[in-house]
Amino acid sequence: MKRTFTALVFFALLVAGWHFGRDYMVRTHRWSPVLVPSPESVARYLWENTFAAEILTPSGVPEPNLNRWLLFLAAWVTVKRLLLGYLIGLVAGVPLGFLTARVQVARDTLGVLALGLQGLPSVCWVPPALLWFGQTESAMLFVVVMGTLWSVVLATETGVRHVNPLYIRAAQTMGSRGLHTWRKVILPAALPFIVSGMKQGWAFAWRSLMAAEIYVTILSGAGLGYLLNNGRDLNAMEQVIGIMLVIVAIGLLADKVLFAPWENFLHRRWGTAK
Amino acid sequence: MTLQQEFAPPTSAKLVVDQVSKSFRPDGRNRVQALERATLRVDEGEFVCLVGPSGCGKSTLLNLIAGLEAPDDGTLSSDGEPIRAPGRDRMMMFQESALFPWLNALGNVMFSLKLKPGLTDAERSEVAHYYLKLVGLENFERASIHELSGGMKQRVALARALAPNPRVLLMDEPFAALDALTREQLYGDLQRIWAERKKTIVFVTHNVREACCLGNRVILFSKSPGRIREEFKIDLPRPRDINSVDLAEYATRIMRSLKGHLAASTPEAQE
Ligand SMILES: Nc1ncnc2c1ncn2[C@@H]1O[C@H](COP(=O)(O)OP(=O)(O)OP(=O)(O)O)[C@@H](O)[C@H]1O
Ligand SMILES: [Mg+2]
């Protein structure tokens, strides 16, 4: 309760500072009112592109809002790309990590490849993806998968190699073999590493997807990145800032929904710091 | 089972360790001869305690019997079958508790039970509850492992090893981290379980009195290289009390012998 209150006060102060600071700078002609939008105009943009059923024309006549739900649709386009690619990266990455951890040949080949490609900023995959797949969903998916995959592979590999051998021996004496040992012992024992790899993969995928969406118009759907760039084209700063806020919100939400449950589990079981 | 096995005398050896040697890093510079030509027979239903100085190969011998490691030389068998891999009939309780941190106390006990075929899930959880209660942890079933004290962890590990009802129990200093009171209670429980369920137990300890309290036989190890030196038969009625005078007499004798071996094996210590 107290923490929520503190956070609320902090953000209220931030918005107030923005409002009055901008007001002062605009009045003294140091900042352009167009380039630095007021919090109110950003709020209006967000409202008119989400819930507002009607908008007022400049002459004050209400008319139906054609842009209603626009931001939700754009966010869905982006999040869908992200989740799908992320899931593919995860489902492929964990077994590949197992493989590189346990098979020397795989470590010397795939492991080195993963290490190299993980160091490559995943935005670099945008140009080749566009050439290979054109301006399509596949190109976006490819970029996201490349952002996720290598981090997950490397984290899983590290995790598996750090599993206390005693756990495996104990499981063996209890009759665990082969796949059962992998699923019920090695995977959970490596979980702290895998979760941190998942977080890193998510961060890489999210960044590279945004870059890709800003960089190129994808014909099959306008995502948040497109709208951000569109705001620049229109010189509509309230749109640019508004979209940035939406992107921040999605990042926070992902943390809460995707990672907080895992981290709580790790905290509860391993006793690690939250 | 063949007819011959069926009519074999009941005292046939359950575990046979024959001339077993084991070294670590055999090609490296710091080669360690952990065990040299160890020979040991454990009868069905026997309770054998292994005592010896730190690093003399007691844990190594248990690992070999468990099938977790292979000997360099010699053979091991269980029920006449050579030991090649771990088997559910030989349950091991490790020196460190080796509990799984991703499961709670109950989950850890259930892990061994879930791998045992022929039980319904309801039966499994009943068995798990029973053994957690036996070790006095019925109120900690939902606790995470890191929330348990060292002694409590050992008790969960004991419950986990007992739960699938193995024929052979290999226990590596299981009670070292416990307080005296809990320990005495568990001495009683272990002797009872051993007698009631006809288990064969190989038990490693540093505590000579503990060995005399639990074992039919106490086997003395010496170090560098790890060897079996001497063995003592403990002919005391059960259940035994660790504080009894007769038991103390045995312990004193074994202790004296242990010190003798120590002095003999490290001549530089006498100078
Ligand atoms: N995995 C291993 N790698 C290398 N050396 C080992 C390994 N395991 C045991 N050793 C060595 O083998 C010797 C015997 O070890 P072991 O663990 O069997 O001793 P122990 O009798 O159980 O001692 P303690 O009473 O302290 O537990 C020691 O010198 C140890 O350093
Ligand atoms: Mg040991």
Side-chain angles (χ1 to χ4, degrees):
Chain A
M1 208 45 230
K2 184 155 175 282
R3 284 171 56 205
T4 320
F5 180 73
T6 316
L8 277 177
V9 169
F10 172 75
F11 285 107
L13 284 177
L14 205 65
V15 172
W18 175 9
H19 174 86
F20 291 111
R22 174 209 181 247
D23 220 37
Y24 173 76
M25 296 303 264
V26 166
R27 254 189 293 114
T28 54
H29 301 288
R30 272 178 261 203
W31 282 357
S32 139
V34 178
L35 291 186
V36 187
S38 65
E40 302 91 293
S41 67
V42 173
R44 190 177 331 109
Y45 170 81
L46 290 175
W47 171 251
E48 286 179 353
N49 287 279
T50 50
F51 300 103
E54 296 182 324
I55 49 171
L56 297 179
T57 55
S59 50
V61 189
E63 61 177 38
N65 180 10
L66 297 178
N67 286 339
R68 202 179 181 193
W69 310 127
L70 178 76
L71 286 184
F72 287 111
L73 294 176
W76 174 238
V77 167
T78 299
V79 167
K80 201 170 59 185
R81 287 169 182 161
L82 189 62
L83 283 181
L84 193 60
Y86 183 64
L87 215 64
I88 294 173
L90 210 59
V91 168
V94 172
L96 284 179
F98 280 175
L99 194 72
T100 52
R102 274 304 151 91
V103 182
Q104 186 67 48
V105 181
R107 192 181 313 165
D108 295 340
T109 53
L110 206 67
V112 175
L113 186 73
L115 197 63
L117 293 183
Q118 194 236 15
L120 181 75
S122 36
V123 199
C124 299
W125 288 105
V126 177
L130 291 172
L131 287 176
W132 290 333
F133 300 102
Q135 287 161 257
T136 62
E137 289 298 317
S138 308
M140 295 295 105
L141 213 57
F142 181 76
V143 170
V144 174
V145 171
M146 285 298 137
T148 311
L149 185 66
W150 310 115
S151 294
V152 174
V153 170
L154 289 177
T156 307
E157 182 193 328
T158 314
V160 170
R161 287 167 64 181
H162 277 84
V163 172
N164 186 346
L166 196 59
Y167 295 153
I168 299 173
R169 298 171 132 226
Q172 282 175 345
T173 60
M174 291 186 267
S176 173
R177 296 279 180 282
L179 202 63
H180 184 273
T181 309
W182 280 104
R183 276 184 29 243
K184 299 287 182 173
V185 182
I186 297 174
L187 181 65
L191 205 61
F193 285 89
I194 296 177
V195 169
S196 76
M198 277 163 63
K199 284 194 85 158
Q200 194 188 38
W202 173 265
F204 286 172
W206 187 214
R207 280 156 183 67
S208 49
L209 177 64
M210 267 313 119
E213 284 191 353
I214 290 169
Y215 189 56
V216 63
T217 307
I218 298 301
L219 307 171
S220 48
L224 292 170
Y226 168 80
L227 288 183
L228 189 67
N229 198 39
N230 179 247
R232 191 203 69 171
D233 291 341
L234 300 173
N235 240 2
M237 269 316 276
E238 70 279 359
Q239 176 171 344
V240 172
I241 303 288
I243 298 290
M244 282 167 65
L245 288 179
V246 173
I247 292 172
V248 167
I250 289 177
L252 288 175
L253 196 70
D255 202 67
K256 274 269 170 299
V257 176
L258 290 179
F259 301 115
W262 290 107
E263 288 183 327
N264 287 337
F265 174 76
L266 294 184
H267 172 70
R268 200 171 68 242
R269 283 283 185 257
W270 270 261
T272 47
K274 238 177 190 151
Chain B
M1 193 175 268
T2 67
L3 207 59
Q4 199 181 356
Q5 278 172 311
E6 192 69 43
F7 288 114
T11 51
S12 69
K14 177 81 181 168
L15 299 170
V16 178
V17 178
D18 191 23
Q19 299 278 330
V20 164
S21 298
K22 175 81 185 170
S23 59
F24 289 100
R25 287 181 251 111
D27 351 287
R29 273 180 297 126
N30 308 313
R31 183 169 182 277
V32 181
Q33 188 72 38
L35 214 54
E36 191 171 86
R37 276 182 275 123
T39 296
L40 176 69
R41 287 167 60 91
V42 182
D43 289 339
E44 172 93 55
E46 210 183 358
F47 199 140
V48 172
C49 293
L50 311 182
V51 181
S54 184
C56 68
K58 305 181 296 291
S59 299
T60 306
L61 181 60
L62 282 200
N63 282 333
L64 287 164
I65 297 175
L68 288 167
E69 281 179 68
D72 301 339
D73 229 341
T75 56
L76 295 110
S77 60
S78 161
D79 283 328
E81 292 284 315
I83 295 172
R84 293 212 182 78
R88 227 197 331 269
D89 56 320
R90 284 165 278 130
M91 200 61 83
M92 174 105 163
M93 205 183 143
F94 293 88
Q95 197 163 358
E96 307 100 280
S97 69
L99 295 173
F100 301 144
W102 57 93
L103 299 171
N104 60 21
L106 184 66
N108 268 280
V109 178
M110 287 295 281
F111 187 95
S112 64
L113 285 168
K114 279 185 186 155
L115 282 159
K116 196 182 158 113
L119 288 174
T120 66
D121 281 349
E123 287 167 340
R124 287 191 176 110
S125 79
E126 198 186 314
V127 173
H129 290 304
Y130 169 81
Y131 281 102
L132 278 170
K133 193 161 177 330
L134 181 77
V135 297
L137 289 176
E138 66 270 35
N139 294 326
F140 289 88
E141 292 184 344
R142 307 269 154 212
S144 293
I145 300 307
H146 76 92
E147 294 165 346
L148 301 175
S149 73
M152 287 156 95
K153 282 182 198 153
Q154 280 300 350
R155 276 142 74 193
V156 176
L158 179 63
R160 180 171 79 169
L162 289 172
N165 196 18
R167 305 292 310 129
V168 177
L169 263 174
L170 307 169
M171 308 176 84
D172 200 347
E173 297 182 39
F175 301 150
L178 296 180
D179 64 283
L181 223 63
T182 316
R183 205 162 8 174
E184 281 186 33
Q185 180 225 320
L186 285 174
Y187 291 154
D189 289 333
L190 190 61
Q191 290 185 72
R192 208 189 65 237
I193 289 168
W194 166 77
E196 279 174 9
R197 305 284 178 82
K198 303 267 179 298
K199 288 189 191 307
T200 307
I201 301 183
V202 183
F203 188 103
V204 172
T205 174
H206 280 141
N207 186 333
V208 175
R209 292 173 71 94
E210 182 174 279
C212 294
C213 175
L214 295 172
N216 299 114
R217 266 193 299 155
V218 176
I219 314 274
L220 218 57
F221 274 65
S222 70
K223 206 176 143 174
S224 344
R227 276 210 181 110
I228 292 177
R229 280 290 169 176
E230 223 179 319
E231 71 171 71
F232 300 84
K233 252 187 129 49
I234 313 291
D235 285 317
L236 288 173
R238 288 182 191 268
R240 296 172 187 163
D241 176 10
I242 190 152
N243 299 312
S244 84
V245 182
D246 296 342
L247 200 146
E249 219 166 274
Y250 273 104
T252 315
R253 241 177 57 212
I254 296 173
M255 204 63 212
R256 201 176 302 134
S257 182
L258 187 64
K259 280 180 185 152
H261 290 311
L262 261 182
S265 65
T266 52
E268 67 270 29
Q270 293 171 316
E271 286 162 18

